[in-house]
Amino acid sequence: MSGESSEPYRHDFPFHDDLFSVFSQKPDGLQGFDPQTAPPFMSFGDYLHGSTTDGSLVVQGFDAPRSQPCDPVVGGDGGKNAAAGGGDGMTPVTPYFSASSSSTEAAGDEDWRPCKVDQPKQEVQEEEKHAPQDGEGRDKTKKANKPRKKGERQRGPRFAFMTKSEVDHLEDGYRWRKYGQKAVKNSPYPRSYYRCTAQKCNVKKRVERSCQDPTTVITTYEGQHTHHSPASLRGGGGGGHMLSPSPTTNLRRSLLLQQVSRSSSSAGYTNPNTYHAGLPPLLPQLHVPDHGLLQDIVPSFTHGSQR
DNA sequence: CGTCTTTGACCAGCGC
DNA sequence: GCGCTGGTCAAAGACG
Protein backbone atom coordinates (compact mmCIF):
# COMPACT_ATOMS: atom_id res chain seq x y z
CA MET A 1 0.00 0.00 0.00
CA SER A 2 2.69 2.39 0.28
CA GLY A 3 3.16 2.04 -3.30
CA GLU A 4 0.92 4.33 -5.00
CA SER A 5 2.80 7.36 -4.25
CA SER A 6 6.18 7.22 -5.63
CA GLU A 7 5.50 6.30 -9.13
CA PRO A 8 2.91 7.56 -11.40
CA TYR A 9 1.22 4.83 -13.21
CA ARG A 10 -0.48 6.51 -15.96
CA HIS A 11 -3.00 7.94 -13.82
CA ASP A 12 -4.22 10.87 -15.60
CA PHE A 13 -5.87 10.51 -18.80
CA PRO A 14 -6.95 13.92 -19.77
CA PHE A 15 -8.54 12.98 -22.98
CA HIS A 16 -11.73 11.55 -21.94
CA ASP A 17 -13.55 12.92 -24.81
CA ASP A 18 -11.41 12.02 -27.62
CA LEU A 19 -10.66 9.10 -29.70
CA PHE A 20 -7.34 8.38 -31.03
CA SER A 21 -5.60 5.80 -32.96
CA VAL A 22 -2.11 4.76 -33.53
CA PHE A 23 -1.07 2.51 -36.25
CA SER A 24 2.00 0.49 -36.20
CA GLN A 25 2.39 0.94 -39.81
CA LYS A 26 0.78 2.59 -42.60
CA PRO A 27 -2.80 1.72 -42.47
CA ASP A 28 -3.31 0.90 -46.03
CA GLY A 29 -6.87 0.42 -45.41
CA LEU A 30 -7.19 3.98 -44.51
CA GLN A 31 -7.32 6.08 -47.43
CA GLY A 32 -6.05 9.42 -46.82
CA PHE A 33 -3.89 8.56 -43.97
CA ASP A 34 -0.34 9.15 -44.70
CA PRO A 35 2.17 8.44 -42.02
CA GLN A 36 4.35 11.03 -43.47
CA THR A 37 1.90 13.73 -43.30
CA ALA A 38 0.56 12.42 -40.15
CA PRO A 39 1.44 14.22 -37.03
CA PRO A 40 4.81 13.75 -35.56
CA PHE A 41 4.20 10.56 -33.81
CA MET A 42 6.39 9.32 -31.21
CA SER A 43 6.68 5.79 -30.31
CA PHE A 44 4.07 4.38 -28.12
CA GLY A 45 6.70 4.06 -25.56
CA ASP A 46 7.54 7.66 -25.69
CA TYR A 47 4.00 8.31 -25.77
CA LEU A 48 3.38 6.38 -22.68
CA HIS A 49 6.13 8.12 -21.03
CA GLY A 50 4.59 11.36 -21.64
CA SER A 51 6.97 12.49 -24.22
CA THR A 52 4.37 14.22 -26.10
CA THR A 53 4.42 17.85 -25.89
CA ASP A 54 1.21 18.53 -24.27
CA GLY A 55 0.18 15.06 -23.71
CA SER A 56 -1.97 14.81 -26.67
CA LEU A 57 -1.54 13.59 -30.12
CA VAL A 58 -3.59 14.01 -33.10
CA VAL A 59 -4.07 11.55 -35.80
CA GLN A 60 -5.84 12.79 -38.73
CA GLY A 61 -6.35 12.27 -42.31
CA PHE A 62 -8.56 9.33 -42.70
CA ASP A 63 -12.17 8.98 -42.97
CA ALA A 64 -13.43 7.56 -39.86
CA PRO A 65 -15.56 4.74 -41.04
CA ARG A 66 -18.27 5.03 -38.62
CA SER A 67 -19.90 2.00 -39.83
CA GLN A 68 -17.49 -0.54 -40.85
CA PRO A 69 -19.36 -3.09 -42.81
CA CYS A 70 -18.14 -6.10 -41.15
CA ASP A 71 -18.98 -9.28 -42.81
CA PRO A 72 -19.19 -12.01 -40.39
CA VAL A 73 -17.55 -13.78 -43.17
CA VAL A 74 -14.22 -12.29 -43.02
CA GLY A 75 -12.63 -11.40 -46.17
CA GLY A 76 -15.75 -10.25 -47.69
CA ASP A 77 -14.18 -7.14 -48.88
CA GLY A 78 -11.10 -8.98 -49.45
CA GLY A 79 -8.50 -6.66 -50.51
CA LYS A 80 -9.70 -3.75 -48.66
CA ASN A 81 -8.66 -4.84 -45.34
CA ALA A 82 -6.48 -7.64 -46.30
CA ALA A 83 -7.31 -9.34 -43.18
CA ALA A 84 -5.38 -12.44 -43.66
CA GLY A 85 -2.32 -10.52 -44.11
CA GLY A 86 0.07 -13.15 -43.20
CA GLY A 87 2.13 -11.91 -46.03
CA ASP A 88 4.58 -9.26 -45.48
CA GLY A 89 3.01 -7.50 -42.76
CA MET A 90 1.57 -4.17 -43.22
CA THR A 91 -1.66 -5.72 -42.52
CA PRO A 92 -3.99 -2.87 -42.30
CA VAL A 93 -6.52 -2.79 -39.71
CA THR A 94 -9.62 -0.99 -40.33
CA PRO A 95 -10.26 1.56 -37.75
CA TYR A 96 -13.49 0.75 -36.25
CA PHE A 97 -14.18 4.20 -35.34
CA SER A 98 -17.41 5.66 -34.79
CA ALA A 99 -17.59 8.93 -33.23
CA SER A 100 -20.80 8.31 -31.66
CA SER A 101 -22.58 11.31 -30.67
CA SER A 102 -24.28 9.63 -27.90
CA SER A 103 -24.29 11.88 -25.04
CA THR A 104 -23.82 9.10 -22.70
CA GLU A 105 -20.51 8.10 -21.52
CA ALA A 106 -20.73 4.87 -23.25
CA ALA A 107 -20.12 6.47 -26.48
CA GLY A 108 -16.73 5.12 -26.48
CA ASP A 109 -16.08 1.55 -26.27
CA GLU A 110 -18.70 0.00 -28.27
CA ASP A 111 -18.49 2.59 -30.84
CA TRP A 112 -15.71 1.00 -32.59
CA ARG A 113 -17.15 -2.36 -32.26
CA PRO A 114 -15.77 -4.24 -35.13
CA CYS A 115 -18.50 -6.54 -35.97
CA LYS A 116 -21.45 -4.55 -35.27
CA VAL A 117 -22.68 -1.92 -37.47
CA ASP A 118 -26.25 -2.22 -36.76
CA GLN A 119 -26.07 -1.45 -33.19
CA PRO A 120 -25.64 2.16 -32.65
CA LYS A 121 -27.24 2.32 -29.39
CA GLN A 122 -26.93 -0.91 -27.78
CA GLU A 123 -23.42 0.00 -27.16
CA VAL A 124 -24.42 2.89 -25.17
CA GLN A 125 -26.56 0.99 -22.94
CA GLU A 126 -23.89 -1.31 -21.95
CA GLU A 127 -22.27 1.39 -20.12
CA GLU A 128 -25.17 2.42 -18.12
CA LYS A 129 -27.34 -0.50 -18.28
CA HIS A 130 -26.11 -1.72 -15.02
CA ALA A 131 -28.02 0.83 -13.25
CA PRO A 132 -28.78 0.53 -9.64
CA GLN A 133 -31.01 -2.32 -9.39
CA ASP A 134 -31.02 -2.72 -5.71
CA GLY A 135 -31.17 -6.38 -6.19
CA GLU A 136 -34.84 -6.42 -6.49
CA GLY A 137 -35.03 -8.99 -9.08
CA ARG A 138 -31.88 -10.74 -8.31
CA ASP A 139 -32.44 -11.73 -4.81
CA LYS A 140 -34.01 -14.83 -6.06
CA THR A 141 -30.75 -16.36 -6.88
CA LYS A 142 -27.21 -16.30 -5.83
CA LYS A 143 -26.54 -13.50 -8.16
CA ALA A 144 -28.90 -11.42 -6.23
CA ASN A 145 -26.30 -10.25 -3.86
CA LYS A 146 -24.50 -8.15 -6.29
CA PRO A 147 -25.97 -4.73 -6.43
CA ARG A 148 -24.32 -2.83 -9.13
CA LYS A 149 -24.06 0.78 -8.70
CA LYS A 150 -24.30 3.09 -11.48
CA GLY A 151 -21.26 4.87 -10.38
CA GLU A 152 -19.43 1.70 -10.62
CA ARG A 153 -19.86 1.65 -14.27
CA GLN A 154 -18.70 5.11 -14.69
CA ARG A 155 -15.19 4.47 -13.84
CA GLY A 156 -12.38 5.88 -15.72
CA PRO A 157 -11.76 6.13 -19.35
CA ARG A 158 -11.56 3.24 -21.60
CA PHE A 159 -8.83 2.50 -23.92
CA ALA A 160 -8.93 0.07 -26.73
CA PHE A 161 -6.42 -1.07 -29.18
CA MET A 162 -6.05 -3.69 -31.76
CA THR A 163 -3.08 -5.90 -32.07
CA LYS A 164 -2.04 -8.48 -34.48
CA SER A 165 -1.52 -11.46 -32.38
CA GLU A 166 -2.17 -15.08 -32.28
CA VAL A 167 -2.85 -15.04 -28.65
CA ASP A 168 -5.90 -13.41 -27.31
CA HIS A 169 -4.70 -12.34 -24.01
CA LEU A 170 -1.80 -10.01 -24.29
CA GLU A 171 0.32 -9.63 -21.28
CA ASP A 172 0.57 -6.19 -19.97
CA GLY A 173 2.25 -6.72 -16.73
CA TYR A 174 -0.85 -7.04 -14.66
CA ARG A 175 -2.61 -10.07 -13.46
CA TRP A 176 -6.04 -10.64 -14.79
CA ARG A 177 -8.76 -12.95 -13.92
CA LYS A 178 -11.22 -14.03 -16.46
CA TYR A 179 -14.72 -13.67 -15.22
CA GLY A 180 -16.74 -14.22 -18.24
CA GLN A 181 -16.96 -14.99 -21.85
CA LYS A 182 -19.68 -14.23 -24.23
CA ALA A 183 -20.34 -14.96 -27.79
CA VAL A 184 -20.40 -11.83 -29.78
CA LYS A 185 -23.16 -11.28 -32.14
CA ASN A 186 -22.13 -11.49 -35.72
CA SER A 187 -18.80 -12.74 -34.77
CA PRO A 188 -17.55 -16.25 -34.54
CA TYR A 189 -15.15 -15.24 -31.87
CA PRO A 190 -16.16 -14.91 -28.26
CA ARG A 191 -15.38 -11.95 -26.13
CA SER A 192 -13.60 -12.55 -22.91
CA TYR A 193 -13.92 -10.43 -19.83
CA TYR A 194 -11.05 -9.97 -17.48
CA ARG A 195 -10.67 -8.16 -14.25
CA CYS A 196 -7.54 -7.09 -12.54
CA THR A 197 -6.85 -9.44 -9.69
CA ALA A 198 -5.64 -6.69 -7.46
CA GLN A 199 -7.97 -6.26 -4.60
CA LYS A 200 -9.02 -2.74 -4.92
CA CYS A 201 -8.46 -2.44 -8.54
CA ASN A 202 -11.51 -2.25 -10.68
CA VAL A 203 -9.82 -2.28 -13.97
CA LYS A 204 -11.42 -4.49 -16.48
CA LYS A 205 -10.39 -5.70 -19.78
CA ARG A 206 -12.23 -7.14 -22.67
CA VAL A 207 -10.61 -9.18 -25.29
CA GLU A 208 -12.03 -10.28 -28.53
CA ARG A 209 -10.95 -11.05 -32.00
CA SER A 210 -11.94 -9.01 -34.87
CA CYS A 211 -14.35 -10.80 -37.02
CA GLN A 212 -12.89 -9.01 -39.93
CA ASP A 213 -9.42 -9.94 -39.24
CA PRO A 214 -9.13 -12.99 -37.06
CA THR A 215 -5.53 -12.24 -36.56
CA THR A 216 -6.38 -9.06 -34.85
CA VAL A 217 -7.11 -8.96 -31.20
CA ILE A 218 -9.11 -6.14 -29.84
CA THR A 219 -8.44 -5.32 -26.27
CA THR A 220 -10.34 -2.81 -24.31
CA TYR A 221 -9.22 -1.57 -20.97
CA GLU A 222 -11.57 0.11 -18.66
CA GLY A 223 -10.64 1.90 -15.54
CA GLN A 224 -7.42 2.78 -13.94
CA HIS A 225 -5.18 0.59 -11.94
CA THR A 226 -4.82 1.57 -8.38
CA HIS A 227 -1.56 -0.17 -8.06
CA HIS A 228 1.59 -0.79 -9.88
CA SER A 229 2.17 -3.47 -12.31
CA PRO A 230 3.31 -6.51 -10.45
CA ALA A 231 5.48 -7.33 -13.34
CA SER A 232 7.31 -4.12 -13.22
CA LEU A 233 7.84 -4.47 -9.57
CA ARG A 234 9.70 -7.63 -9.67
CA GLY A 235 10.75 -7.92 -13.17
CA GLY A 236 13.38 -6.02 -14.71
CA GLY A 237 15.00 -4.54 -11.87
CA GLY A 238 15.46 -1.06 -11.13
CA GLY A 239 14.36 1.19 -13.75
CA GLY A 240 10.91 0.05 -13.44
CA HIS A 241 11.18 -1.07 -16.93
CA MET A 242 11.15 -4.55 -18.01
CA LEU A 243 10.86 -3.51 -21.49
CA SER A 244 13.07 -5.83 -23.24
CA PRO A 245 14.68 -4.16 -26.14
CA SER A 246 13.68 -6.93 -28.35
CA PRO A 247 13.72 -5.94 -31.94
CA THR A 248 10.46 -7.48 -32.77
CA THR A 249 11.04 -6.84 -36.31
CA ASN A 250 8.53 -9.36 -37.27
CA LEU A 251 5.92 -7.49 -35.47
CA ARG A 252 3.97 -6.24 -38.26
CA ARG A 253 0.95 -5.76 -36.28
CA SER A 254 -1.52 -3.25 -37.04
CA LEU A 255 -2.13 -1.44 -33.98
CA LEU A 256 -4.92 0.76 -33.42
CA LEU A 257 -5.22 2.62 -30.30
CA GLN A 258 -8.32 4.24 -29.48
CA GLN A 259 -9.32 6.14 -26.58
CA VAL A 260 -12.80 5.18 -26.05
CA SER A 261 -13.73 6.88 -23.00
CA ARG A 262 -16.81 8.45 -21.96
CA SER A 263 -17.73 11.01 -24.42
CA SER A 264 -19.50 13.21 -22.13
CA SER A 265 -19.35 15.62 -24.89
CA SER A 266 -19.05 13.65 -27.96
CA ALA A 267 -20.76 16.55 -29.36
CA GLY A 268 -17.52 18.28 -29.10
CA TYR A 269 -16.21 15.78 -31.46
CA THR A 270 -16.71 17.77 -34.50
CA ASN A 271 -14.06 16.74 -36.83
CA PRO A 272 -14.34 13.15 -37.76
CA ASN A 273 -10.98 13.20 -39.30
CA THR A 274 -9.20 14.24 -36.28
CA TYR A 275 -8.52 12.12 -33.32
CA HIS A 276 -6.76 13.20 -30.29
CA ALA A 277 -4.50 10.81 -28.70
CA GLY A 278 -4.05 10.86 -25.07
CA LEU A 279 -2.12 9.00 -22.58
CA PRO A 280 -3.56 5.61 -22.03
CA PRO A 281 -4.78 5.23 -18.55
CA LEU A 282 -3.28 1.94 -17.97
CA LEU A 283 -0.92 0.43 -20.32
CA PRO A 284 2.45 0.34 -18.82
CA GLN A 285 3.63 -2.18 -21.22
CA LEU A 286 1.97 -4.80 -23.12
CA HIS A 287 3.72 -7.93 -23.70
CA VAL A 288 2.72 -9.98 -26.59
CA PRO A 289 3.65 -13.48 -25.89
CA ASP A 290 6.12 -14.87 -28.31
CA HIS A 291 6.37 -11.60 -29.97
CA GLY A 292 7.40 -8.80 -27.81
CA LEU A 293 6.16 -5.83 -26.11
CA LEU A 294 3.53 -3.65 -27.35
CA GLN A 295 5.81 -0.82 -26.96
CA ASP A 296 7.95 -2.46 -29.47
CA ILE A 297 5.13 -2.72 -31.76
CA VAL A 298 4.08 0.76 -31.91
CA PRO A 299 7.43 2.15 -32.62
CA SER A 300 7.22 0.19 -35.74
CA PHE A 301 4.73 2.69 -36.65
CA THR A 302 7.09 5.48 -36.29
CA HIS A 303 10.20 3.81 -37.30
CA GLY A 304 8.90 1.11 -39.43
CA SER A 305 6.78 3.38 -41.37
CA GLN A 306 9.36 3.85 -43.89
CA ARG A 307 11.45 6.23 -42.17
C1' DC B 1 -4.06 -25.76 -1.59
C1' DG B 2 -4.51 -21.64 -4.01
C1' DT B 3 -5.47 -19.57 -8.28
C1' DC B 4 -7.55 -19.31 -12.53
C1' DT B 5 -10.77 -20.81 -16.22
C1' DT B 6 -15.04 -22.52 -17.73
C1' DT B 7 -19.78 -22.24 -18.07
C1' DG B 8 -24.64 -21.58 -17.36
C1' DA B 9 -27.71 -18.34 -15.61
C1' DC B 10 -29.33 -13.86 -14.48
C1' DC B 11 -30.17 -8.92 -15.11
C1' DA B 12 -30.71 -4.40 -17.39
C1' DG B 13 -31.40 -1.60 -21.32
C1' DC B 14 -32.87 -1.04 -25.89
C1' DG B 15 -35.25 -2.08 -30.26
C1' DC B 16 -39.15 -3.73 -32.46
C1' DG C 1 -44.55 -6.24 -23.78
C1' DC C 2 -41.32 -9.34 -25.68
C1' DG C 3 -37.01 -10.62 -27.40
C1' DC C 4 -32.24 -9.74 -28.02
C1' DT C 5 -27.72 -8.63 -26.49
C1' DG C 6 -23.98 -7.34 -23.50
C1' DG C 7 -22.11 -7.59 -18.99
C1' DT C 8 -21.61 -9.97 -14.69
C1' DC C 9 -21.86 -13.48 -11.17
C1' DA C 10 -20.56 -17.61 -8.94
C1' DA C 11 -20.21 -22.67 -8.58
C1' DA C 12 -17.56 -26.25 -10.35
C1' DG C 13 -13.66 -27.96 -12.47
C1' DA C 14 -8.82 -27.73 -14.00
C1' DC C 15 -4.25 -26.72 -13.26
C1' DG C 16 0.19 -25.54 -11.02
Side-chain angles (χ1 to χ4, degrees), chain A residues 74-287:
Chain A
V74 182
D77 284 320
K80 186 183 293 185
N81 295 324
D88 7 3
M90 297 308 132
T91 305
V93 170
T94 303
Y96 306 112
F97 281 130
S98 179
S100 162
S101 55
S102 301
S103 57
T104 66
E105 52 223 271
D109 178 48
E110 259 80 16
D111 286 328
W112 50 270
R113 120 181 3 274
C115 301
K116 303 197 161 178
V117 292
D118 303 308
Q119 286 196 221
K121 306 180 185 156
Q122 182 122 30
E123 3 278 52
V124 177
Q125 68 184 39
E126 294 164 285
E127 188 62 345
E128 312 190 86
K129 64 169 47 171
H130 307 287
Q133 49 184 42
D134 296 21
E136 300 255 344
R138 302 180 80 124
D139 56 349
K140 54 170 72 175
T141 69
K142 53 199 172 184
K143 284 127 188 167
N145 47 356
K146 197 52 179 194
R148 297 179 204 159
K149 299 186 185 99
K150 188 171 224 166
E152 234 179 19
R153 304 293 315 163
Q154 302 182 356
R155 58 179 66 79
R158 288 194 285 185
F159 178 79
F161 65 90
M162 296 171 65
T163 307
K164 283 279 184 182
S165 176
E166 295 174 15
V167 295
D168 292 344
H169 196 190
L170 308 180
E171 297 221 7
D172 54 9
Y174 290 93
R175 292 170 66 87
W176 301 92
R177 168 179 227 162
K178 187 174 185 177
Y179 66 87
Q181 177 172 306
K182 289 281 291 189
V184 180
K185 184 184 176 186
N186 293 333
S187 175
Y189 309 100
R191 173 184 299 163
S192 298
Y193 299 87
Y194 296 88
R195 176 175 296 156
C196 183
T197 58
Q199 293 229 305
K200 296 182 290 186
C201 188
N202 290 323
V203 178
K204 291 176 186 174
K205 176 164 85 171
R206 278 182 292 183
V207 179
E208 66 183 285
R209 279 195 180 278
S210 166
C211 65
Q212 280 197 332
D213 184 354
T215 63
T216 299
V217 176
I218 302 170
T219 306
T220 303
Y221 288 84
E222 178 179 325
Q224 299 179 342
H225 287 287
T226 59
H227 56 97
H228 294 283
S229 164
S232 64
L233 290 178
R234 57 179 161 186
H241 275 256
M242 43 177 265
L243 305 180
S244 59
S246 55
T248 68
T249 52
N250 58 335
L251 296 177
R252 350 190 208 63
R253 297 192 179 81
S254 295
L255 178 71
L256 179 149
L257 293 165
Q258 179 177 169
Q259 210 292 68
V260 283
S261 61
R262 357 186 289 150
S263 329
S264 55
S265 62
S266 292
Y269 184 87
T270 53
N271 184 351
N273 291 325
T274 301
Y275 299 92
H276 295 276
L279 201 61
L282 31 72
L283 277 180
Q285 59 244 334
L286 288 175
H287 182 272

Side-chain angles (χ1 to χ4, degrees), chain A residues 26-48:
Chain A
K26 175 177 180 177
D28 297 345
L30 306 177
Q31 295 96 359
F33 180 87
D34 184 349
Q36 306 203 0
T37 58
F41 252 111
M42 322 202 82
S43 69
F44 189 47
D46 292 334
Y47 170 64
L48 286 174

